[in-house]
Amino acid sequence: MDWYRETLYTEVSQSFKVERIVHREKTDLQDLVIFENKIMGRILALDGVIQTTEGDEFFYHEMMGHVPVMAHGTARRVLIVGGGDGGLLEEVLKHKTVERVVMVEIDRYVIELSKKYLPSIAKQAFDDKRAEIAIADGAKYVAETAERFDVIMVDSTDPHGPGEVLFTAEFYGNCKRCMNPGGIMVTQNGVPFFQPDELSTTYKRLRPIYADVGFYVVPVPTYYGGFMALSWASLDAKHRQTPPAEIERRFKAAALDTKYYNSAIHQACFALPNYMLGRMT
């Protein structure tokens, strides 16, 4: 295989030159391949769609992890649904004030193979005593768990296959069920330029459930097509309005080691272009 062609969209595609196939197998749930590229390093793809790369994973993981935790201000318990590569777990655990992180991943092979072939993404996160890894259906977990969380992060695939259930109103409602007062949920919500219906559908499903609903953006080179959207749903509208000076204070106090996220980016990421705002009706 000289080039790996992504099959996410029907009318456009992107390709990555393959230097070497590191691993490939059909798990019980999906087709998984890890390969090497000179620019992006090792790349993980599931069912023909790029999931993460060693080269640019920090854009996505930092923004999904730090924005809600910093906005909340006192988050102690965090739930991650998905995120088997461990990148988001690693970012959340950078916050010393976070006491417990439960990561619920449906496919144990994603975790095992990421540990083996993509160790630079999770680093030592899986060994952190604050982390609990559960191999389970995320939708079932939020519907049944007796635990309560300050922040919930849904690091899912796109809304097809195993990830489809994580974009339903029922799932969003069950996430609210297992939140502490003032909780925040953020989710992966695709690239709006190519997936505009995903943005509007998510907004319509979240709006009746949460006090404050919106989106914020991050440019991830691998997820081409302009900004990637992350949905924002909170039980307390004040979180998104946290003053810039307070975010700066929290950022300095946390002493985070980041490549993309900072307090200025935190404020700017909630400013949306008109083509996205037009879908939020």
Side-chain angles (χ1 to χ4, degrees):
M1 180 189 297
D2 294 326
W3 290 84
Y4 184 90
R5 181 181 178 185
E6 188 176 42
T7 58
L8 180 58
Y9 309 119
T10 57
E11 303 298 326
V12 295
S13 69
Q14 65 173 338
S15 298
F16 294 82
K17 189 172 183 179
V18 178
E19 299 298 328
R20 181 172 74 96
I21 296 290
V22 177
H23 185 84
R24 185 162 203 169
E25 71 174 84
K26 181 75 172 180
T27 75
D28 294 338
L29 297 168
Q30 48 206 340
D31 179 65
L32 182 151
V33 60
I34 299 171
F35 63 93
E36 291 180 349
N37 175 273
K38 284 186 178 180
I39 294 177
M40 305 310 292
R42 290 187 173 181
I43 298 174
L44 168 65
L46 296 175
D47 290 334
V49 180
I50 303 299
Q51 301 299 311
T52 193
T53 83
E54 290 181 315
D56 69 357
E57 56 86 18
F58 65 89
F59 288 92
Y60 172 80
H61 290 136
E62 288 184 11
M63 290 300 283
M64 176 167 274
H66 300 312
V67 171
V69 172
M70 295 295 283
H72 189 285
T74 58
R76 298 289 182 267
R77 301 171 66 86
V78 176
L79 171 65
I80 298 173
V81 177
D85 56 59
L88 183 56
L89 180 66
E90 193 261 338
E91 296 298 334
V92 173
L93 290 170
K94 288 180 179 179
H95 293 268
K96 302 307 180 185
T97 54
V98 170
E99 299 170 355
R100 174 173 166 78
V101 184
V102 177
M103 192 183 92
V104 181
E105 167 61 53
I106 196 170
D107 193 339
R108 65 183 178 86
Y109 290 105
V110 174
I111 295 177
E112 292 175 5
L113 295 174
S114 294
K115 284 181 178 180
K116 183 175 182 179
Y117 297 115
L118 299 165
S120 68
I121 293 180
K123 300 181 177 64
Q124 305 304 314
F126 288 114
D127 298 323
D128 194 298
K129 293 181 179 179
R130 295 172 293 163
E132 175 185 329
I133 311 303
I135 305 303
D137 182 326
K140 185 177 181 181
Y141 182 90
V142 297
E144 299 177 354
T145 184
E147 294 207 46
R148 296 295 179 264
F149 300 93
D150 302 308
V151 175
I152 297 176
M153 304 169 182
V154 186
D155 184 8
S156 68
T157 57
D158 287 294
H160 53 76
E164 186 173 5
V165 69
L166 304 181
F167 289 79
T168 63
E170 180 181 8
F171 173 74
Y172 297 146
N174 285 330
C175 285
K176 178 182 178 180
R177 186 195 71 82
C178 58
M179 278 184 180
N180 284 322
I184 300 171
M185 178 183 72
V186 296
T187 77
Q188 183 277 121
N189 216 86
V191 177
F193 184 78
F194 286 132
Q195 300 164 301
D197 291 342
E198 188 175 321
L199 194 81
S200 55
T201 297
T202 297
Y203 185 78
K204 290 175 182 177
R205 290 174 179 172
L206 287 173
R207 194 69 192 91
I209 302 172
Y210 292 88
D212 182 40
V213 173
F215 298 90
Y216 62 103
V217 294
V218 54
V220 184
T222 302
Y223 308 147
Y224 76 107
F227 285 123
M228 180 176 197
L230 300 174
S231 77
W232 170 278
S234 176
L235 301 180
D236 187 344
K238 293 180 181 178
H239 289 318
R240 195 153 50 124
Q241 306 303 322
T242 304
E246 176 58 18
I247 294 296
E248 174 67 9
R249 185 195 68 77
R250 294 175 186 177
F251 179 68
K252 289 181 177 179
L256 298 176
D257 177 17
T258 56
K259 294 181 180 179
Y260 182 78
Y261 176 86
N262 56 43
S263 57
I265 290 289
H266 183 107
Q267 301 300 323
C269 71
F270 288 100
L272 303 180
N274 285 342
Y275 73 88
M276 289 180 63
L277 291 172
R279 289 282 173 174
M280 296 168 57
T281 57

